[in-house]
Amino acid sequence: MFDDVLGLASLCAASFRAGVRDGFGASIAADVLDPILQEIDSLRMFNAEFQRQALSIDMTLADARGIQEKNHGQDR
């Protein structure tokens, strides 16, 4: 999701920069667009790490459930 947003924002920023003809436009690019792109990239990295951690937790829970089912079957 964030990859798509970053890609689209990068294209829009590049298009804006292509039309910049003065210092004001350049300052908009540097002071507004660049921080937005950096924030989107930070969110993208955070989301990727979150997804990795969620997968790890899901795998650990699945392992624990498997152990619990195995032990529950031995109690009978």
Side-chain angles (χ1 to χ4, degrees):
M1 175 176 94
F2 287 105
D3 291 335
D4 295 337
V5 172
L6 183 59
L8 183 58
S10 295
L11 287 174
C12 290
S15 176
F16 179 83
R17 282 186 179 90
V20 169
R21 303 282 184 250
D22 58 13
F24 180 72
S27 71
I28 295 292
D31 297 338
V32 176
L33 297 178
D34 289 344
I36 289 172
L37 293 174
Q38 290 170 355
E39 189 64 28
I40 294 170
D41 191 46
S42 294
L43 290 170
R44 184 187 59 79
M45 290 187 295
F46 176 82
N47 184 57
E49 180 60 26
F50 175 83
Q51 295 298 327
R52 280 191 290 277
Q53 291 294 327
L55 179 60
S56 176
I57 291 167
D58 287 344
M59 291 171 51
T60 301
L61 287 172
D63 290 345
R65 286 184 186 114
I67 292 168
Q68 182 182 23
E69 289 173 5
K70 180 181 170 188
N71 289 339
H72 184 67
Q74 291 177 352
D75 291 343
R76 292 181 180 194

